mmCIF file of all heavy atoms in Angstrom:
data_model
loop_
_atom_site.group_PDB
_atom_site.id
_atom_site.type_symbol
_atom_site.label_atom_id
_atom_site.label_comp_id
_atom_site.label_asym_id
_atom_site.label_seq_id
_atom_site.Cartn_x
_atom_site.Cartn_y
_atom_site.Cartn_z
ATOM 1 N N THR A 4 -9.467 12.060 -7.515
ATOM 2 C CA THR A 4 -8.384 12.758 -6.841
ATOM 3 C C THR A 4 -7.587 11.749 -6.017
ATOM 4 O O THR A 4 -8.031 10.611 -5.789
ATOM 5 C CB THR A 4 -8.937 13.840 -5.885
ATOM 6 O OG1 THR A 4 -9.665 13.184 -4.837
ATOM 7 C CG2 THR A 4 -9.833 14.834 -6.626
ATOM 8 N N ALA A 5 -6.437 12.180 -5.529
ATOM 9 C CA ALA A 5 -5.633 11.321 -4.652
ATOM 10 C C ALA A 5 -6.420 10.981 -3.392
ATOM 11 O O ALA A 5 -6.332 9.861 -2.881
ATOM 12 C CB ALA A 5 -4.313 12.014 -4.307
ATOM 13 N N ALA A 6 -7.222 11.924 -2.908
ATOM 14 C CA ALA A 6 -8.051 11.673 -1.718
ATOM 15 C C ALA A 6 -9.102 10.613 -2.008
ATOM 16 O O ALA A 6 -9.328 9.713 -1.197
ATOM 17 C CB ALA A 6 -8.708 12.968 -1.244
ATOM 18 N N ASP A 7 -9.741 10.710 -3.172
ATOM 19 C CA ASP A 7 -10.745 9.709 -3.560
ATOM 20 C C ASP A 7 -10.114 8.333 -3.679
ATOM 21 O O ASP A 7 -10.659 7.333 -3.206
ATOM 22 C CB ASP A 7 -11.386 10.058 -4.906
ATOM 23 C CG ASP A 7 -12.182 11.347 -4.892
ATOM 24 O OD1 ASP A 7 -12.647 11.760 -3.808
ATOM 25 O OD2 ASP A 7 -12.337 11.935 -5.987
ATOM 26 N N HIS A 9 -7.356 7.174 -2.331
ATOM 27 C CA HIS A 9 -6.974 6.639 -1.023
ATOM 28 C C HIS A 9 -8.199 6.119 -0.283
ATOM 29 O O HIS A 9 -8.155 5.045 0.327
ATOM 30 C CB HIS A 9 -6.251 7.690 -0.175
ATOM 31 C CG HIS A 9 -5.875 7.181 1.169
ATOM 32 N ND1 HIS A 9 -6.667 7.403 2.279
ATOM 33 C CD2 HIS A 9 -4.838 6.410 1.585
ATOM 34 C CE1 HIS A 9 -6.117 6.796 3.322
ATOM 35 N NE2 HIS A 9 -5.008 6.193 2.926
ATOM 36 N N PHE A 50 5.669 5.064 5.987
ATOM 37 C CA PHE A 50 5.074 6.239 5.380
ATOM 38 C C PHE A 50 5.191 7.509 6.228
ATOM 39 O O PHE A 50 5.521 8.572 5.680
ATOM 40 C CB PHE A 50 3.621 5.959 4.979
ATOM 41 C CG PHE A 50 3.031 7.058 4.165
ATOM 42 C CD1 PHE A 50 3.602 7.427 2.961
ATOM 43 C CD2 PHE A 50 1.917 7.746 4.604
ATOM 44 C CE1 PHE A 50 3.078 8.457 2.203
ATOM 45 C CE2 PHE A 50 1.376 8.774 3.857
ATOM 46 C CZ PHE A 50 1.956 9.128 2.653
ATOM 47 N N PHE A 53 8.592 8.920 5.641
ATOM 48 C CA PHE A 53 8.679 9.435 4.272
ATOM 49 C C PHE A 53 8.062 10.835 4.200
ATOM 50 O O PHE A 53 8.652 11.752 3.623
ATOM 51 C CB PHE A 53 7.949 8.448 3.351
ATOM 52 C CG PHE A 53 7.898 8.818 1.894
ATOM 53 C CD1 PHE A 53 9.005 8.654 1.080
ATOM 54 C CD2 PHE A 53 6.710 9.272 1.334
ATOM 55 C CE1 PHE A 53 8.933 8.958 -0.278
ATOM 56 C CE2 PHE A 53 6.627 9.574 -0.014
ATOM 57 C CZ PHE A 53 7.748 9.428 -0.828
ATOM 58 N N LEU A 54 6.886 11.003 4.805
ATOM 59 C CA LEU A 54 6.213 12.308 4.804
ATOM 60 C C LEU A 54 6.983 13.358 5.580
ATOM 61 O O LEU A 54 7.129 14.492 5.135
ATOM 62 C CB LEU A 54 4.821 12.180 5.424
ATOM 63 C CG LEU A 54 3.703 11.631 4.577
ATOM 64 C CD1 LEU A 54 2.419 11.566 5.396
ATOM 65 C CD2 LEU A 54 3.485 12.454 3.322
ATOM 66 N N GLY A 57 10.241 14.265 3.683
ATOM 67 C CA GLY A 57 10.073 14.889 2.376
ATOM 68 C C GLY A 57 9.194 16.113 2.333
ATOM 69 O O GLY A 57 9.302 16.926 1.417
ATOM 70 N N ALA A 58 8.298 16.263 3.320
ATOM 71 C CA ALA A 58 7.359 17.385 3.271
ATOM 72 C C ALA A 58 7.151 18.048 4.622
ATOM 73 O O ALA A 58 6.356 18.979 4.737
ATOM 74 C CB ALA A 58 6.015 16.901 2.715
ATOM 75 N N GLY A 59 7.846 17.571 5.658
ATOM 76 C CA GLY A 59 7.678 18.154 6.980
ATOM 77 C C GLY A 59 6.306 17.897 7.586
ATOM 78 O O GLY A 59 5.894 18.593 8.510
ATOM 79 N N VAL A 60 5.610 16.895 7.081
ATOM 80 C CA VAL A 60 4.268 16.565 7.552
ATOM 81 C C VAL A 60 4.358 15.456 8.584
ATOM 82 O O VAL A 60 5.052 14.459 8.376
ATOM 83 C CB VAL A 60 3.377 16.110 6.375
ATOM 84 C CG1 VAL A 60 2.047 15.554 6.869
ATOM 85 C CG2 VAL A 60 3.159 17.252 5.394
ATOM 86 N N GLU A 61 3.663 15.651 9.701
ATOM 87 C CA GLU A 61 3.642 14.621 10.736
ATOM 88 C C GLU A 61 2.236 14.067 10.881
ATOM 89 O O GLU A 61 1.284 14.821 11.053
ATOM 90 C CB GLU A 61 4.121 15.193 12.076
ATOM 91 C CG GLU A 61 5.602 15.516 12.038
ATOM 92 C CD GLU A 61 6.188 15.756 13.410
ATOM 93 O OE1 GLU A 61 5.908 14.959 14.331
ATOM 94 O OE2 GLU A 61 6.940 16.738 13.545
ATOM 95 N N LEU A 62 2.138 12.750 10.797
ATOM 96 C CA LEU A 62 0.867 12.071 11.032
ATOM 97 C C LEU A 62 0.725 11.821 12.529
ATOM 98 O O LEU A 62 1.713 11.803 13.256
ATOM 99 C CB LEU A 62 0.835 10.737 10.276
ATOM 100 C CG LEU A 62 0.789 10.836 8.753
ATOM 101 C CD1 LEU A 62 0.906 9.446 8.130
ATOM 102 C CD2 LEU A 62 -0.476 11.530 8.283
ATOM 103 N N ASP A 81 -6.941 7.249 8.972
ATOM 104 C CA ASP A 81 -7.665 8.509 9.154
ATOM 105 C C ASP A 81 -6.728 9.710 9.047
ATOM 106 O O ASP A 81 -7.110 10.751 8.500
ATOM 107 C CB ASP A 81 -8.399 8.518 10.496
ATOM 108 C CG ASP A 81 -9.558 7.517 10.533
ATOM 109 O OD1 ASP A 81 -9.931 6.941 9.479
ATOM 110 O OD2 ASP A 81 -10.081 7.293 11.647
ATOM 111 N N GLY A 82 -5.502 9.569 9.549
ATOM 112 C CA GLY A 82 -4.524 10.654 9.437
ATOM 113 C C GLY A 82 -4.136 10.925 7.996
ATOM 114 O O GLY A 82 -4.033 12.086 7.573
ATOM 115 N N VAL A 83 -3.931 9.869 7.230
ATOM 116 C CA VAL A 83 -3.587 10.038 5.808
ATOM 117 C C VAL A 83 -4.766 10.647 5.061
ATOM 118 O O VAL A 83 -4.598 11.555 4.235
ATOM 119 C CB VAL A 83 -3.160 8.693 5.173
ATOM 120 C CG1 VAL A 83 -2.963 8.840 3.667
ATOM 121 C CG2 VAL A 83 -1.895 8.167 5.834
ATOM 122 N N GLN A 84 -5.977 10.167 5.358
ATOM 123 C CA GLN A 84 -7.156 10.700 4.667
ATOM 124 C C GLN A 84 -7.348 12.175 4.989
ATOM 125 O O GLN A 84 -7.659 12.978 4.101
ATOM 126 C CB GLN A 84 -8.408 9.903 5.031
ATOM 127 C CG GLN A 84 -9.578 10.193 4.108
ATOM 128 C CD GLN A 84 -9.291 9.773 2.678
ATOM 129 O OE1 GLN A 84 -8.945 8.620 2.418
ATOM 130 N NE2 GLN A 84 -9.429 10.698 1.735
ATOM 131 N N ALA A 85 -7.142 12.569 6.242
ATOM 132 C CA ALA A 85 -7.268 13.985 6.621
ATOM 133 C C ALA A 85 -6.254 14.839 5.865
ATOM 134 O O ALA A 85 -6.575 15.944 5.400
ATOM 135 C CB ALA A 85 -7.095 14.147 8.128
ATOM 136 N N LEU A 86 -5.041 14.326 5.712
ATOM 137 C CA LEU A 86 -4.009 15.039 4.950
ATOM 138 C C LEU A 86 -4.470 15.236 3.509
ATOM 139 O O LEU A 86 -4.374 16.333 2.954
ATOM 140 C CB LEU A 86 -2.693 14.253 4.991
ATOM 141 C CG LEU A 86 -1.572 14.773 4.103
ATOM 142 C CD1 LEU A 86 -1.059 16.118 4.607
ATOM 143 C CD2 LEU A 86 -0.436 13.754 4.038
ATOM 144 N N LEU A 87 -4.979 14.184 2.889
ATOM 145 C CA LEU A 87 -5.403 14.275 1.492
ATOM 146 C C LEU A 87 -6.667 15.112 1.316
ATOM 147 O O LEU A 87 -6.853 15.747 0.272
ATOM 148 C CB LEU A 87 -5.622 12.874 0.924
ATOM 149 C CG LEU A 87 -4.339 12.068 0.731
ATOM 150 C CD1 LEU A 87 -4.665 10.621 0.396
ATOM 151 C CD2 LEU A 87 -3.449 12.695 -0.328
ATOM 152 N N ASP A 88 -7.537 15.118 2.314
ATOM 153 C CA ASP A 88 -8.764 15.918 2.243
ATOM 154 C C ASP A 88 -8.513 17.403 2.488
ATOM 155 O O ASP A 88 -9.356 18.236 2.145
ATOM 156 C CB ASP A 88 -9.799 15.400 3.253
ATOM 157 C CG ASP A 88 -10.422 14.070 2.835
ATOM 158 O OD1 ASP A 88 -10.385 13.720 1.639
ATOM 159 O OD2 ASP A 88 -10.950 13.374 3.733
ATOM 160 N N ASP A 89 -7.363 17.748 3.056
ATOM 161 C CA ASP A 89 -7.016 19.142 3.352
ATOM 162 C C ASP A 89 -6.684 19.863 2.037
ATOM 163 O O ASP A 89 -5.743 19.464 1.343
ATOM 164 C CB ASP A 89 -5.815 19.174 4.295
ATOM 165 C CG ASP A 89 -5.413 20.573 4.708
ATOM 166 O OD1 ASP A 89 -5.876 21.566 4.087
ATOM 167 O OD2 ASP A 89 -4.609 20.684 5.651
ATOM 168 N N PRO A 90 -7.427 20.910 1.677
ATOM 169 C CA PRO A 90 -7.160 21.620 0.424
ATOM 170 C C PRO A 90 -5.727 22.158 0.324
ATOM 171 O O PRO A 90 -5.187 22.301 -0.780
ATOM 172 C CB PRO A 90 -8.172 22.771 0.423
ATOM 173 C CG PRO A 90 -9.220 22.383 1.396
ATOM 174 C CD PRO A 90 -8.567 21.476 2.400
ATOM 175 N N ALA A 91 -5.087 22.440 1.444
ATOM 176 C CA ALA A 91 -3.718 22.964 1.420
ATOM 177 C C ALA A 91 -2.710 21.939 0.906
ATOM 178 O O ALA A 91 -1.649 22.297 0.385
ATOM 179 C CB ALA A 91 -3.315 23.430 2.816
ATOM 180 N N THR A 92 -3.035 20.655 1.041
ATOM 181 C CA THR A 92 -2.105 19.603 0.612
ATOM 182 C C THR A 92 -1.788 19.701 -0.872
ATOM 183 O O THR A 92 -0.655 19.442 -1.290
ATOM 184 C CB THR A 92 -2.678 18.217 0.970
ATOM 185 O OG1 THR A 92 -2.810 18.145 2.390
ATOM 186 C CG2 THR A 92 -1.790 17.082 0.493
ATOM 187 N N ALA A 93 -2.749 20.094 -1.673
ATOM 188 C CA ALA A 93 -2.536 20.200 -3.125
ATOM 189 C C ALA A 93 -1.463 21.234 -3.479
ATOM 190 O O ALA A 93 -0.903 21.188 -4.575
ATOM 191 C CB ALA A 93 -3.853 20.551 -3.814
ATOM 192 N N HIS A 94 -1.157 22.122 -2.551
ATOM 193 C CA HIS A 94 -0.169 23.176 -2.821
ATOM 194 C C HIS A 94 1.186 22.885 -2.178
ATOM 195 O O HIS A 94 2.089 23.713 -2.253
ATOM 196 C CB HIS A 94 -0.712 24.517 -2.341
ATOM 197 C CG HIS A 94 -2.049 24.845 -2.915
ATOM 198 N ND1 HIS A 94 -2.235 25.160 -4.242
ATOM 199 C CD2 HIS A 94 -3.287 24.846 -2.351
ATOM 200 C CE1 HIS A 94 -3.524 25.353 -4.472
ATOM 201 N NE2 HIS A 94 -4.178 25.170 -3.340
ATOM 202 N N LYS A 95 1.311 21.733 -1.548
ATOM 203 C CA LYS A 95 2.566 21.361 -0.902
ATOM 204 C C LYS A 95 3.357 20.419 -1.800
ATOM 205 O O LYS A 95 2.786 19.673 -2.591
ATOM 206 C CB LYS A 95 2.306 20.669 0.442
ATOM 207 C CG LYS A 95 1.697 21.575 1.481
ATOM 208 C CD LYS A 95 1.468 20.845 2.783
ATOM 209 C CE LYS A 95 0.825 21.783 3.809
ATOM 210 N NZ LYS A 95 0.503 21.083 5.047
ATOM 211 N N LEU A 96 4.670 20.461 -1.630
ATOM 212 C CA LEU A 96 5.546 19.572 -2.394
ATOM 213 C C LEU A 96 6.221 18.584 -1.458
ATOM 214 O O LEU A 96 6.471 18.881 -0.295
ATOM 215 C CB LEU A 96 6.632 20.375 -3.113
ATOM 216 C CG LEU A 96 6.186 21.290 -4.239
ATOM 217 C CD1 LEU A 96 7.381 22.084 -4.766
ATOM 218 C CD2 LEU A 96 5.538 20.501 -5.358
ATOM 219 N N LEU A 97 6.538 17.433 -2.009
ATOM 220 C CA LEU A 97 7.360 16.452 -1.312
ATOM 221 C C LEU A 97 8.675 16.397 -2.073
ATOM 222 O O LEU A 97 8.690 16.311 -3.293
ATOM 223 C CB LEU A 97 6.698 15.072 -1.306
ATOM 224 C CG LEU A 97 7.511 14.032 -0.542
ATOM 225 C CD1 LEU A 97 6.622 13.289 0.440
ATOM 226 C CD2 LEU A 97 8.179 13.058 -1.485
ATOM 227 N N SER A 98 9.756 16.472 -1.339
ATOM 228 C CA SER A 98 11.086 16.431 -1.934
ATOM 229 C C SER A 98 11.799 15.180 -1.438
ATOM 230 O O SER A 98 11.828 14.899 -0.236
ATOM 231 C CB SER A 98 11.869 17.683 -1.528
ATOM 232 O OG SER A 98 13.158 17.648 -2.097
ATOM 233 N N GLU A 104 11.195 16.652 -6.664
ATOM 234 C CA GLU A 104 10.064 17.335 -6.039
ATOM 235 C C GLU A 104 8.798 17.033 -6.814
ATOM 236 O O GLU A 104 8.769 17.215 -8.039
ATOM 237 C CB GLU A 104 10.286 18.852 -6.021
ATOM 238 C CG GLU A 104 11.131 19.316 -4.887
ATOM 239 C CD GLU A 104 11.061 20.834 -4.699
ATOM 240 O OE1 GLU A 104 10.520 21.555 -5.561
ATOM 241 O OE2 GLU A 104 11.559 21.289 -3.659
ATOM 242 N N ILE A 105 7.774 16.583 -6.106
ATOM 243 C CA ILE A 105 6.482 16.352 -6.740
ATOM 244 C C ILE A 105 5.385 16.819 -5.779
ATOM 245 O O ILE A 105 5.600 16.870 -4.573
ATOM 246 C CB ILE A 105 6.256 14.887 -7.171
ATOM 247 C CG1 ILE A 105 6.269 13.930 -5.993
ATOM 248 C CG2 ILE A 105 7.259 14.449 -8.200
ATOM 249 C CD1 ILE A 105 5.888 12.502 -6.376
ATOM 250 N N PRO A 106 4.221 17.170 -6.332
ATOM 251 C CA PRO A 106 3.121 17.573 -5.455
ATOM 252 C C PRO A 106 2.839 16.482 -4.414
ATOM 253 O O PRO A 106 2.838 15.290 -4.730
ATOM 254 C CB PRO A 106 1.941 17.763 -6.418
ATOM 255 C CG PRO A 106 2.598 18.106 -7.731
ATOM 256 C CD PRO A 106 3.863 17.280 -7.742
ATOM 257 N N LEU A 107 2.605 16.916 -3.186
ATOM 258 C CA LEU A 107 2.436 15.989 -2.070
ATOM 259 C C LEU A 107 1.317 14.983 -2.310
ATOM 260 O O LEU A 107 1.485 13.788 -2.062
ATOM 261 C CB LEU A 107 2.195 16.769 -0.775
ATOM 262 C CG LEU A 107 1.985 15.956 0.499
ATOM 263 C CD1 LEU A 107 3.151 15.009 0.762
ATOM 264 C CD2 LEU A 107 1.775 16.887 1.680
ATOM 265 N N ASP A 108 0.172 15.462 -2.810
ATOM 266 C CA ASP A 108 -0.938 14.528 -3.021
ATOM 267 C C ASP A 108 -0.591 13.463 -4.059
ATOM 268 O O ASP A 108 -0.953 12.297 -3.910
ATOM 269 C CB ASP A 108 -2.237 15.262 -3.367
ATOM 270 C CG ASP A 108 -2.147 16.146 -4.596
ATOM 271 O OD1 ASP A 108 -1.037 16.457 -5.073
ATOM 272 O OD2 ASP A 108 -3.226 16.551 -5.097
ATOM 273 N N GLN A 109 0.172 13.840 -5.083
ATOM 274 C CA GLN A 109 0.592 12.857 -6.090
ATOM 275 C C GLN A 109 1.590 11.857 -5.505
ATOM 276 O O GLN A 109 1.563 10.673 -5.839
ATOM 277 C CB GLN A 109 1.218 13.557 -7.297
ATOM 278 C CG GLN A 109 0.213 14.320 -8.137
ATOM 279 C CD GLN A 109 0.881 15.025 -9.295
ATOM 280 O OE1 GLN A 109 1.922 14.611 -9.779
ATOM 281 N NE2 GLN A 109 0.274 16.118 -9.750
ATOM 282 N N ALA A 110 2.466 12.333 -4.638
ATOM 283 C CA ALA A 110 3.433 11.436 -3.995
ATOM 284 C C ALA A 110 2.718 10.404 -3.136
ATOM 285 O O ALA A 110 3.051 9.214 -3.161
ATOM 286 C CB ALA A 110 4.428 12.237 -3.158
ATOM 287 N N VAL A 111 1.714 10.858 -2.372
ATOM 288 C CA VAL A 111 0.945 9.939 -1.534
ATOM 289 C C VAL A 111 0.279 8.889 -2.414
ATOM 290 O O VAL A 111 0.344 7.688 -2.139
ATOM 291 C CB VAL A 111 -0.098 10.694 -0.684
ATOM 292 C CG1 VAL A 111 -1.022 9.719 0.040
ATOM 293 C CG2 VAL A 111 0.577 11.638 0.305
ATOM 294 N N ASP A 112 -0.349 9.337 -3.480
ATOM 295 C CA ASP A 112 -1.055 8.426 -4.372
ATOM 296 C C ASP A 112 -0.103 7.429 -5.033
ATOM 297 O O ASP A 112 -0.346 6.230 -5.035
ATOM 298 C CB ASP A 112 -1.800 9.228 -5.443
ATOM 299 C CG ASP A 112 -2.691 8.353 -6.302
ATOM 300 O OD1 ASP A 112 -3.532 7.626 -5.748
ATOM 301 O OD2 ASP A 112 -2.543 8.406 -7.534
ATOM 302 N N ARG A 113 0.976 7.927 -5.560
ATOM 303 C CA ARG A 113 1.897 7.095 -6.338
ATOM 304 C C ARG A 113 2.654 6.080 -5.482
ATOM 305 O O ARG A 113 2.846 4.941 -5.897
ATOM 306 C CB ARG A 113 2.901 7.995 -7.070
ATOM 307 C CG ARG A 113 3.755 7.242 -8.069
ATOM 308 C CD ARG A 113 4.731 8.129 -8.799
ATOM 309 N NE ARG A 113 4.076 9.301 -9.377
ATOM 310 C CZ ARG A 113 4.731 10.361 -9.815
ATOM 311 N NH1 ARG A 113 6.046 10.400 -9.736
ATOM 312 N NH2 ARG A 113 4.090 11.378 -10.323
ATOM 313 N N TYR A 115 2.365 5.631 -1.688
ATOM 314 C CA TYR A 115 1.713 5.045 -0.524
ATOM 315 C C TYR A 115 0.414 4.319 -0.877
ATOM 316 O O TYR A 115 0.235 3.150 -0.528
ATOM 317 C CB TYR A 115 1.462 6.117 0.541
ATOM 318 C CG TYR A 115 0.642 5.600 1.682
ATOM 319 C CD1 TYR A 115 1.207 4.750 2.625
ATOM 320 C CD2 TYR A 115 -0.704 5.906 1.799
ATOM 321 C CE1 TYR A 115 0.446 4.237 3.669
ATOM 322 C CE2 TYR A 115 -1.462 5.408 2.836
ATOM 323 C CZ TYR A 115 -0.885 4.573 3.761
ATOM 324 O OH TYR A 115 -1.630 4.060 4.771
ATOM 325 N N THR A 116 -0.501 4.990 -1.548
ATOM 326 C CA THR A 116 -1.787 4.354 -1.847
ATOM 327 C C THR A 116 -1.582 3.120 -2.710
ATOM 328 O O THR A 116 -2.236 2.091 -2.498
ATOM 329 C CB THR A 116 -2.769 5.357 -2.499
ATOM 330 O OG1 THR A 116 -2.928 6.477 -1.624
ATOM 331 C CG2 THR A 116 -4.123 4.731 -2.754
#
Side-chain angles (χ1 to χ4, degrees):
T4 65
D7 296 336
H9 179 264
F50 189 59
F53 179 77
L54 280 179
V60 171
E61 291 194 46
L62 292 174
D81 292 350
V83 173
Q84 194 64 55
L86 173 68
L87 290 170
D88 287 339
D89 182 346
T92 298
H94 306 290
K95 293 180 181 176
L96 292 176
L97 182 131
S98 180
E104 277 194 349
I105 62 173
L107 180 56
D108 58 345
Q109 289 178 27
V111 172
D112 187 54
R113 189 179 309 165
Y115 173 74
T116 303

